[in-house]
Amino acid sequence: MEASLDVTKNSKLLRRNIIQMLPACFSLSMVYVLMIMIDSLLAGKFTGTTGVAAVSIGAPAYLIFLSFLNAIIHGTELRMTWRLGRNDKEGLQRAFAGGVYFTIFMGILLSVFVFFIARPLVMIFGGSKSTEEIVNLAVLYIKCCAWCISIQGLGGVFRSLFSVMGFQRDRMITNLANVITNIIFSILFINLLPAPIKLMGLGLGSACASAVDSAIAVILYKKHKFGLSLKPVVLKPAEILDTMKSGCPSSLDHILDCIVSSIINRLVLGTFGSDGVMLSMVTVINNIRKLGRMPIQCMGYAASPLYGIAYSARDKSSLIDSLKESFKIGIFITVIWEVILYILSPIVFSVFNMSGNAIVQRGTVIVLASMPIVLIVYLLISFFEA
């Protein structure tokens, strides 16, 4: 602990420590953002504004259930962390194996549920304000993506185990494999499928990517030989409740984001027309926003451990210095990144076939200009969480 606390003794050491962590944190942030926005990017490139609108409606409709499953996975991760911290090997084994089977069971249940209520979900998340063509495409997309939930459930606890044991690189490897596989299979299916059902290619690509992601997670688990078996364990009701109570707060922002997306979809389609043209413009701007947040998330990942170390030592001076240094470095890299992103934004516009669109251009300027403010809010949240 003393060696760790030395890191917080002066600004130069703090700055060096944050800068050393930036490349890995930026890579993790980039992969995470690409995982979220890859379907809408490919929809814009290969299916036009109608496909983008269908993905904008369909994605939050199934992601809200995936967020619920991720709450279970994160709750399991916390339970494993507590058992590891107490050197409770039996408890760690039970938390791991029980979490694996509980997550798989809930993943299958949620996938079947989403598959059979795909059309009502689409109508709730904006389809009722859209055209029949967009609704049908969104339904096809959701029915394919529904199986991502159960497949993600298969590998989710293994990825959490990597974090608990300190193998963050392995977690990034699985995420990167997800992105690459998603791009390859989505493009392959889009080119193979006939025009009316091309959007199914995105859902199928996402499902295949989830399968590869989970398979790699299982392989890495076997490689590391953590000494934890997969002998079936049925969690007690109290353990399930503990898992849910621990994990739900971490997914609440994602669940709320899906709900807000539903409201925005309905407002845009109801106000500007049901053809999805304006909704696709909003989606482009939203993707620019996600790209703009990359250095902000990166700074949060890099600075949070320093906040935690200083707070655990009740070292108020180092705590404030850590926050100040993260603000300085964060503002610097955020401003540079937003300028670079603005210069390269025409490339993103062209992917969505919206080059020269004045509304998208103005929206991009507003979004990128707001990012330094978003950085301050994000770092303060990370500070108080840590």
Side-chain angles (χ1 to χ4, degrees):
M1 177 60 75
E2 279 302 316
S4 297
L5 290 175
D6 286 344
V7 174
T8 64
K9 289 302 180 185
N10 64 64
S11 296
K12 287 184 179 180
L13 284 175
L14 280 170
R15 195 176 305 127
R16 187 189 309 163
N17 198 54
I18 292 173
I19 291 172
Q20 284 176 345
M21 289 189 287
L22 286 180
C25 291
F26 195 84
S27 300
L28 182 60
S29 177
M30 179 179 67
V31 171
Y32 177 74
V33 168
L34 288 174
M35 282 177 66
I36 294 175
M37 60 183 290
I38 194 67
D39 279 0
S40 57
L41 280 171
L42 292 174
K45 182 67 176 177
F46 293 100
T47 63
T49 56
T50 302
V52 174
V55 170
S56 298
I57 293 171
Y62 92 87
L63 285 174
I64 193 169
F65 293 94
L66 183 59
S67 296
F68 179 75
L69 186 72
N70 284 334
I72 297 173
I73 294 170
H74 187 67
T76 301
E77 180 177 335
L78 289 174
R79 293 184 69 241
M80 289 191 293
T81 303
W82 298 333
R83 300 310 184 275
L84 183 67
R86 297 168 188 165
N87 200 27
D88 179 3
K89 294 182 180 179
E90 184 178 340
L92 177 60
Q93 169 62 47
R94 182 171 181 82
F96 168 68
V100 168
Y101 291 105
F102 179 53
T103 305
I104 291 173
F105 171 75
M106 289 302 300
I108 294 171
L109 201 64
L110 290 171
S111 288
V112 172
F113 180 72
V114 171
F115 182 86
F116 282 107
I117 67 160
R119 181 167 286 273
L121 280 175
V122 168
M123 303 309 285
I124 292 170
F125 278 78
S128 61
K129 302 286 186 180
S130 189
T131 64
E132 188 64 22
E133 180 186 9
I134 291 175
V135 168
N136 290 335
L137 287 174
V139 169
L140 286 173
Y141 173 70
I142 288 180
K143 285 191 171 185
C144 293
C145 287
W147 305 109
C148 295
I149 301 173
S150 55
I151 299 169
Q152 285 281 5
L154 174 63
V157 175
F158 293 102
R159 288 188 293 272
S160 291
L161 181 63
F162 300 152
S163 293
V164 171
M165 296 298 187
F167 291 88
Q168 298 291 356
R169 187 183 66 175
D170 289 351
R171 190 161 192 168
M172 192 182 76
I173 288 171
T174 61
N175 289 346
L176 187 59
N178 187 304
V179 172
I180 295 172
T181 308
N182 198 342
I183 294 172
I184 294 172
F185 278 98
S186 292
I187 293 174
L188 177 64
F189 285 126
I190 286 172
N191 287 319
L192 289 175
L193 293 171
I197 58 171
K198 275 190 180 295
L199 206 67
M200 281 182 65
L202 295 178
L204 292 171
S206 296
C208 289
S210 296
V212 171
D213 178 338
S214 295
I216 292 175
V218 173
I219 291 170
L220 290 172
Y221 154 76
K222 290 184 175 294
K223 172 189 171 186
H224 287 304
K225 299 179 180 177
F226 292 116
L228 298 173
S229 74
L230 288 171
K231 183 179 179 180
V233 171
V234 178
L235 296 178
K236 298 175 182 177
E239 292 174 311
I240 293 174
L241 182 62
D242 191 31
T243 300
M244 299 306 303
K245 283 168 57 180
S246 304
C248 281
S250 69
S251 288
L252 185 60
D253 58 336
H254 296 291
I255 292 171
L256 291 175
D257 191 42
C258 292
I259 295 171
V260 170
S261 295
S262 167
I263 295 170
I264 292 173
N265 289 345
R266 297 178 70 87
L267 285 174
V268 171
L269 291 167
T271 305
F272 298 101
S274 61
D275 58 2
V277 174
M278 182 57 74
L279 182 58
S280 63
M281 294 182 195
V282 172
T283 302
V284 175
I285 296 169
N286 192 37
N287 278 301
I288 293 288
R289 179 185 65 84
K290 291 172 184 174
L291 290 170
R293 281 174 58 89
M294 281 171 51
I296 296 171
Q297 291 175 317
C298 167
M299 280 306 306
Y301 296 151
S304 289
L306 294 177
Y307 300 157
I309 291 170
Y311 178 74
S312 64
R314 299 298 188 267
D315 186 345
K316 183 178 178 180
S317 176
S318 294
L319 191 60
I320 298 302
D321 285 344
S322 298
L323 185 61
K324 286 180 180 178
E325 285 302 319
S326 59
F327 275 141
K328 290 177 187 176
I329 299 171
I331 289 291
F332 179 73
I333 65 171
T334 297
V335 170
I336 291 177
W337 176 253
E338 307 314 328
V339 171
I340 293 172
L341 196 55
Y342 176 75
I343 294 171
L344 297 178
S345 60
I347 298 174
V348 180
F349 301 157
S350 66
V351 170
F352 286 96
N353 298 314
M354 289 194 182
S355 298
N357 188 301
I359 295 175
V360 173
Q361 290 174 350
R362 284 197 294 270
T364 296
V365 171
I366 294 170
V367 164
L368 296 182
S370 70
M371 285 301 143
I373 298 173
V374 176
L375 169 75
I376 293 171
V377 174
Y378 189 85
L379 284 179
L380 285 173
I381 291 172
S382 298
F383 177 79
F384 289 116
E385 282 183 343

